[in-house]
Amino acid sequence: MKKQEAAWWGTFKLEEQNARFWEIGPMLLGIERLAKEWRLASYSSEDLEKNTIKIAQEDCPDFPKDKLQFRRYVFHHTDPTIILTPTLADRSQVSRAETSFSIPPDEHITIYVSSPVWVRIETGSGILLDEIPSIRQSDTWHGPNTREGELCYSSRTFCRTNIEELPIRQHRVLTPVVIHNHHYTPLLIEQLSLPLSHLSIFADENGGLWTEEIVIKNELHNNHIVKQSKGAPHMAKNAILISKPRFPLKPMNFISLFYSLLTE
Amino acid sequence: MSPTFYNTFQLHIEPILRTGFLLIIGYAVARLLSSALAKALIKHLTPQQAMLQKRFVFYFVMAIFIVAVFDQLGFHIGALLGAAGILTVAIGIASQTSMSNIISGVFMIGEKPFEVGHTIKINDLQGEVLSIDLLSVKMRTLDNTLVRIPNELLIKSAIINLSYFPIRRIDLKIGVAYKENLDQVKAVMMEVADKNLHCLIDPRPSFQILEFGDSSVNLQFSAWCSRPNYTELKTTLQNEIKKAFDEKGIELPFPSRSLFAGSGTNPLPIKIIAS
């Protein structure tokens, strides 16, 4: 895994009447500070492969003006600092494998599933301005039928198994998913539901973003046991916590919540 | 103060003042308690449950104070309840419609086919439920008018609850020309649905050939969405399908009629009768 550019998140100082621009993968973000208001402009490109990370003070990126989304936040007096934090989506994400695969009995594998970051924008005094997804994802439904289940975001994944093949993308967060098949029949994996709102984000020494590791055990009688590891996964070297989960889960709740995390 | 005035005050005015005071206090306590309870439980209950709890607490507290008032006035509560029972039967016979509505209301509350805040459809009426009362249900229609529907009518009618399940299906009925390749039509519609972010990936959209119509092959395209996005998806999907069909040259035919003169496809005989 190669080292990435400088991180796009952190605390930034902005003088009055000044603006700053971020290119975070497919997302363009502009923030302008006026005496009494903050102005935000954002755009999400359809080019999902775009992997640029850039922060510019004067060179305004080429914003497609007709597709820009503008927002204004009015204050008595604006704070000179702005804080950008990567965060995860507010719903779970169903990642469909580009090609489904089987895990033979008594085998275990680790697959890496990525999710797009959301950008959390706060003032220096801690007032939340907005949370903007770096890409807009399609909705999908995850549940046993159309009455029970939850509304999720949809994503496609290559389900890579080799860590060396993973590109470092600061606009996507990697989740290692360890799957143990303790059943006597092969386990077919077509899609995985990641509980993003319960996961944290860690940044490793190369600038890569990670969540906690998730362990799924497919037991006899098709019982699925799901566990979430504590802290950063071991493959994220010298990782530091940069974003806490939206809704931390108690260990007991975690197991009951993910009854349908894995779809055969 | 003369003894006569004192006696009159003690005999007549004092109990009236006391009962009046009790009623005012009772009303204030009932309002306060019911509102406080509703506020405390609002996070844990649905709007309908909160409203029912609030009303129950209000009437319960008021009933206690009214019993206390009758006691103060010197009435015998047991005899009063007996009289109230007879009176209830008499009123019930005299007001059958109201009683029917009340009983229907009790069943409705128990059965819970909808709740406050849900969007429902009854006969030709569609709107958001504002309140479920003992006699009627009040509904705000889409054009912002208030409709009061008696509970008796609700019990007898089919109610369509549009807010019951979290996701809904949109069925689009589309006719395409006979010359079109239906596999291509299906692929175009699926691609449109795939690009629309409100259209759910799972359950997958479905494509169905309904019939060979008079002027077109009639199709049904069904796509799923989350409940709040229903209207938007219905509009955007139809707009995008129309655009995609125009781009691919897929014809959406008008109703047309072919005339035959009885022998295969020979042209109609034309005879010039005047120069």
Side-chain angles (χ1 to χ4, degrees), chain B:
Chain B
M1 204 180 286
S2 69
T4 323
F5 176 78
Y6 181 75
N7 286 342
T8 313
F9 181 82
Q10 216 175 14
L11 271 174
H12 301 292
I13 301 173
E14 194 190 318
I16 292 169
L17 283 177
R18 213 184 297 149
T19 53
F21 182 70
L22 262 177
L23 275 178
I24 292 166
I25 291 286
Y27 181 76
V29 169
R31 283 293 297 266
L32 207 72
L33 264 179
S34 58
S35 298
L37 195 78
K39 269 184 191 169
L41 295 175
I42 195 81
K43 283 180 189 168
H44 309 286
L45 299 176
T46 62
Q48 183 189 348
Q49 286 169 334
M51 190 184 72
L52 284 173
Q53 294 271 9
K54 192 177 169 181
R55 285 187 183 168
F56 176 77
V57 171
F58 179 80
Y59 289 121
F60 182 73
V61 175
M62 276 308 287
I64 291 171
F65 275 87
I66 286 168
V67 168
V69 163
F70 280 122
D71 192 45
Q72 283 292 317
L73 289 171
F75 289 102
H76 192 266
I77 298 300
L80 206 66
L81 286 177
I86 294 163
L87 196 69
T88 308
V89 173
I91 291 171
I93 292 165
S95 56
Q96 277 185 16
T97 311
S98 301
M99 287 308 290
S100 166
N101 277 324
I102 290 170
I103 292 163
S104 303
V106 170
F107 281 123
M108 291 279 296
I109 289 166
E111 196 184 357
K112 279 206 292 189
F114 54 82
E115 291 182 4
V116 172
H118 280 187
T119 302
I120 58 167
K121 212 176 189 177
I122 300 154
N123 301 329
D124 293 333
L125 292 167
Q126 183 180 332
E128 181 198 353
V129 177
L130 296 179
S131 70
I132 303 166
D133 299 321
L134 274 180
L135 288 174
S136 65
V137 165
K138 290 177 189 73
M139 197 167 86
R140 187 179 69 86
T141 60
L142 297 177
D143 55 349
N144 212 27
T145 55
L146 182 84
V147 180
R148 178 190 174 277
I149 305 165
N151 287 339
E152 194 185 0
L153 184 71
L154 283 171
I155 282 281
K156 289 176 184 167
S157 308
I159 302 165
I160 299 170
N161 189 340
L162 304 174
S163 307
Y164 200 79
F165 297 120
I167 56 173
R168 285 186 67 190
R169 197 180 78 178
I170 293 168
D171 292 336
L172 301 179
K173 291 192 170 56
I174 298 165
V176 294
Y178 273 91
K179 67 179 174 66
E180 301 303 343
N181 177 346
L182 295 181
D183 290 333
Q184 191 204 2
V185 171
K186 180 183 174 182
V188 168
M189 289 166 103
M190 287 292 187
E191 195 185 335
V192 166
D194 211 36
K195 283 183 181 168
N196 193 312
L197 297 178
H198 292 315
C199 181
L200 298 187
I201 303 292
D202 197 18
R204 292 286 300 157
S206 65
F207 176 89
Q208 206 183 336
I209 299 171
L210 293 179
E211 59 171 355
F212 295 111
D214 290 342
S215 320
S216 59
V217 181
N218 295 330
L219 315 167
Q220 179 172 305
F221 186 69
S222 305
W224 290 82
C225 65
S226 66
R227 205 175 56 220
N229 294 331
Y230 182 84
T231 313
E232 191 177 345
L233 181 65
K234 197 171 183 179
T235 307
T236 53
L237 204 56
Q238 292 189 92
N239 187 20
E240 286 158 8
I241 287 173
K242 169 77 171 60
K243 277 184 192 167
F245 278 10
D246 288 348
E247 269 175 31
K248 304 277 179 188
I250 296 169
E251 188 187 339
L252 293 163
F254 296 105
S256 57
R257 189 166 292 266
S258 300
L259 294 177
F260 293 96
S263 57
T265 54
N266 288 342
L268 285 168
I270 297 169
K271 195 175 177 184
I272 298 169
I273 54 169
S275 59

Side-chain angles (χ1 to χ4, degrees), chain A residues 200-213:
Chain A
S200 322
I201 300 182
F202 303 89
D204 68 15
E205 60 187 12
N206 297 323
L209 298 175
W210 298 84
T211 69
E212 291 94 344
E213 186 177 80

Side-chain angles (χ1 to χ4, degrees), chain A residues 96 136-142 145-147 149 151-152 154 191, chain B residues 165-167 194 196-204 224 226 229:
Chain A
R96 300 171 77 87
R136 290 188 62 201
Q137 291 178 280
S138 285
D139 290 339
T140 191
W141 181 251
H142 186 66
N145 52 50
T146 54
R147 288 176 284 116
L151 197 65
C152 303
S154 172
Q191 61 181 33
Chain B
F165 297 120
I167 56 173
D194 211 36
N196 193 312
L197 297 178
H198 292 315
C199 181
L200 298 187
I201 303 292
D202 197 18
R204 292 286 300 157
W224 290 82
S226 66
N229 294 331

